[in-house]
Amino acid sequence: MTVDLSPRVSSPAGRRGVGTDNGALLRRVGWSACALLVLGFLGVFFAWPVLAILHRGLSTPEPGLLAEPQTWRLVAFTVGQAAASTALALVAGLPLAFLFARVRIPGKVLLRALVTVPFVLPTLVVGMAFRALLGTDEPNAFAIVLANAFFNVAVVARTVGGLWGRLDRRAEDAARSLGAGPLRTFRTVTLPALRPAVFSAVAVVFLFCSTSFGVVLVLGAGRYRTLETEIYLRTVRLLDLSGAATLSLVQLAAVLTALAVAAFARRRGGAAGVSGSEVPTRRPRGVEWVPVAAAGTVLLALVMPIAALLVRSLRSRDGWSLDGYRALSGTGQGALEVSGWQAAWNSANTAFDATWMALLLGLLACAVLVTSRRRWAAELMDAALMLPLGVSAVTVGFGYLITLHLLPGDLRTSPLLVPLAQALVITPLVIRVVLPVLRSVDDRLRAAAATLGAGPLRTRREVDLPLAARAVVTAAGFGFVVALGEFGATGFLARPEAPTLPVAVSELIARPGELTTQMAYAVCALLMVVTVVAVLVIETLRTDSPGEF
């Protein structure tokens, strides 16, 4: 038997193995800390206020309120107008989805921007645009349906179009070669493949329409009210907190149902016949000109309210006038405590703060979701981060009023209160824009960087960040525009001496008078111009990576 008596020398590889284990442990601890930071922020500034609303509604309920016929008329109108708006948005959005997914046309970037502008416009601006288009200030339920559909056509067009653009044409060509006509091919081949995206879009649009605030506030004029506007009315005007909390419970049940449907549809998103990249577009042939013509009609319809708003901002009883824009240097005959330009500055500052908060939170969340090796944990965290997009901003703002005074320093008096509420709305959009891009990065690039000695942070900086830079800029642009026009929570939380532009519009239209009305339309026109410019920049920077919106 041979015995090896040579001295044992610890190998460098062995020492590296110990170091590697320690490094892996440190990385796990670091990512866990990031996850706790993100979830902690979500818990304090979202879950706690919403749960406080639930507790108030359950501990001091108003059973008589739920028994009143007026309450169920509110529920019926909320659900009815949301269902009608969703159906109209679906009918209008499908031709646009086909146009963007399958048709080669010049100026597609401009057309995408045109379709996206209504979605990121402030809801108050949309309401004012339809008031200008219809030429009347009278309450109009049909106008509410039209405005909500106008607001959400982009969700259908982009969600369904994103999947449609990656469907393999060979299944459709096979059906056509077997004698199926265009309509039958669409019904039996294309539509079943698109069903997950259609269901997801319908659930999201219904959610947005059922929680619509600014549109109903402007076009309903107090006669037509939804649960969202009733919660606002009871809290701000009537100081009926227990009644508002009870209605919030009813609304939250509807919101959670819509979110569950959307999540189920997203889980079924891997439709058969989907290729990894976009299918090449082509010129329309034969009957394909029908949806193209329908898409052109929808585009024209989307332009009309925008054009009407611009024209109305330049018109007065005496003809063409810039009085509304000149009045921005004043307070609207006492309707505001500050000038219109000061309100614009407040909006820009608030949107900037909300955007950097949402970017910090969203990018941390994306890094954790991409790194996590436990799929169930990543999906659970992703779902939790999407909740603020679905839960009523009015409910969140209401929750802030009854909870945040318990934190050190009483954040209710802090100038960061409004940006915090807006950041909750923006963060899901940041994640939905950036996360698909990070997930599409080839892991071999990260492995190569690690082999060359790059640590985790340097790998993220040298590999992920350059590839996702355009998506980050896009997310920042979307976030800034959405924050600029957010009104649901801001209407609760903005101080009278520091109003944002949407709050200023609300105050101006509540004060009768030709000059205040002109000033309100001028503010809306400015918001719309900023939105159009931002969306054009976003579409120019748009990546071809698969995304969800």
Side-chain angles (χ1 to χ4, degrees):
M1 181 178 67
T2 303
V3 179
D4 184 8
L5 298 177
S6 59
R8 299 289 182 186
V9 180
S10 60
S11 67
R15 289 195 297 269
R16 284 197 302 269
V18 174
T20 300
D21 291 341
N22 290 335
L25 178 61
L26 289 174
R27 285 195 295 272
R28 285 197 295 270
V29 171
W31 292 125
S32 298
C34 290
L36 288 175
L37 179 64
V38 172
L39 294 175
F41 182 92
L42 191 69
V44 172
F45 295 106
F46 174 71
W48 182 27
V50 172
L51 289 175
I53 294 294
L54 293 177
H55 178 264
R56 182 177 288 266
L58 292 172
S59 60
T60 58
E62 290 194 9
L65 182 63
L66 295 179
E68 292 179 4
Q70 174 64 22
T71 300
W72 294 106
R73 281 196 292 269
L74 280 173
V75 174
F77 182 73
T78 301
V79 174
Q81 64 85 24
S85 301
T86 302
L88 186 57
L90 182 63
V91 171
L94 284 178
L96 291 172
F98 173 79
L99 182 72
F100 294 147
R102 292 297 178 88
V103 179
R104 184 188 301 122
I105 51 173
K108 188 173 286 190
V109 169
L110 186 61
L111 294 179
R112 283 183 182 275
L114 176 62
V115 172
T116 307
V117 163
F119 179 70
V120 292
L121 276 176
T123 54
L124 272 177
V125 174
V126 173
M128 294 293 285
F130 273 84
R131 179 188 280 191
L133 179 65
L134 298 175
T136 177
D137 297 341
E138 294 298 319
N140 193 323
F142 182 62
I144 293 174
V145 172
L146 285 177
N148 277 330
F150 167 86
F151 186 73
N152 288 290
V153 164
V155 177
V156 176
R158 299 189 67 139
T159 302
V160 179
L163 179 59
W164 205 337
R166 292 183 289 123
L167 288 183
D168 196 332
R169 289 183 186 270
R170 289 177 294 183
E172 298 174 8
D173 293 339
R176 296 294 297 272
S177 66
L178 292 174
L183 185 60
R184 186 177 180 184
T185 299
F186 174 78
R187 189 180 69 251
T188 60
V189 178
T190 307
L191 189 58
L194 293 176
R195 193 172 292 136
V198 171
F199 284 168
S200 179
V202 165
V204 171
V205 171
F206 182 85
L207 179 66
F208 286 152
C209 293
S210 62
T211 58
S212 177
F213 182 55
V215 165
V216 180
L217 193 67
V218 172
L219 298 175
R223 178 179 174 186
Y224 296 104
R225 303 198 299 273
T226 60
L227 287 171
E228 186 89 350
T229 57
E230 186 70 11
I231 292 169
Y232 177 82
L233 175 66
R234 286 179 177 270
T235 304
V236 175
R237 305 285 172 83
L238 303 179
L239 300 179
D240 180 13
L241 298 185
S242 59
T246 302
L247 292 177
S248 294
L249 285 174
V250 177
Q251 185 187 51
L252 192 59
V255 164
L256 291 176
T257 301
L259 281 176
V261 173
F264 177 75
R266 279 182 56 207
R267 288 181 65 88
R268 296 187 58 191
V274 176
S275 63
S277 59
E278 292 188 0
V279 176
T281 57
R282 68 187 184 193
R283 287 180 57 82
R285 303 173 182 173
V287 76
E288 290 179 346
W289 283 104
V290 174
V292 171
T297 304
V298 173
L299 288 170
L300 181 62
L302 292 178
V303 170
M304 290 174 63
I306 296 174
L309 178 63
L310 286 175
V311 171
R312 182 64 179 82
S313 72
L314 296 169
R315 295 282 294 179
S316 67
R317 292 175 181 174
D318 300 325
W320 297 102
S321 171
L322 293 174
D323 288 347
Y325 293 92
R326 295 191 188 100
L328 292 176
S329 59
T331 61
Q333 298 177 337
L336 307 175
E337 293 192 14
V338 299
S339 70
W341 293 118
Q342 182 60 47
W345 180 252
N346 294 338
S347 288
N349 281 338
T350 301
F352 177 79
D353 288 336
T355 302
W356 72 255
M357 288 180 188
L359 278 179
L360 179 61
L361 192 66
L363 294 179
L364 274 177
C366 288
V368 172
L369 293 171
V370 169
T371 307
S372 177
R373 296 184 178 180
R374 293 182 175 86
R375 183 176 178 181
W376 64 270
E379 289 184 352
L380 189 61
M381 181 177 176
D382 192 13
L385 289 166
M386 292 303 106
L387 279 175
L389 195 60
V391 175
S392 164
V394 171
T395 300
V396 175
F398 179 21
Y400 277 16
L401 294 180
I402 64 175
T403 57
L404 294 191
H405 67 285
L406 299 175
L407 293 177
D410 192 358
L411 280 176
R412 294 183 304 178
T413 61
S414 170
L416 292 179
L417 181 63
V418 174
L420 282 170
Q422 293 178 352
L424 280 174
V425 178
I426 300 170
T427 300
L429 297 177
V430 172
I431 294 172
R432 292 273 71 85
V433 171
V434 177
L435 184 60
V437 177
L438 289 179
R439 282 178 170 166
S440 68
V441 175
D442 194 333
D443 283 333
R444 290 175 295 183
L445 296 176
R446 299 188 182 105
T451 302
L452 294 173
L457 292 179
R458 187 176 179 184
T459 299
R460 298 292 175 191
R461 187 177 70 248
E462 301 291 342
V463 177
D464 289 7
L465 188 57
L467 294 174
R470 294 175 69 185
V472 172
V473 174
T474 298
F478 263 127
F480 183 84
V481 172
V482 171
L484 202 64
E486 202 282 326
F487 180 63
T490 307
F492 268 91
L493 304 175
R495 292 172 296 173
E497 69 274 13
T500 62
L501 284 177
V503 174
V505 171
S506 175
E507 295 295 331
L508 289 168
I509 62 177
R511 179 74 62 93
E514 174 69 13
L515 184 61
T516 54
T517 301
Q518 283 296 107
M519 189 174 172
Y521 278 111
V523 171
C524 290
L526 288 177
L527 280 170
M528 189 181 65
V529 169
V530 172
T531 300
V532 170
V533 172
V535 171
L536 282 172
V537 173
I538 289 167
E539 284 300 326
T540 302
L541 295 172
R542 181 177 178 265
T543 66
D544 292 328
S545 300
E548 297 186 37
F549 185 73

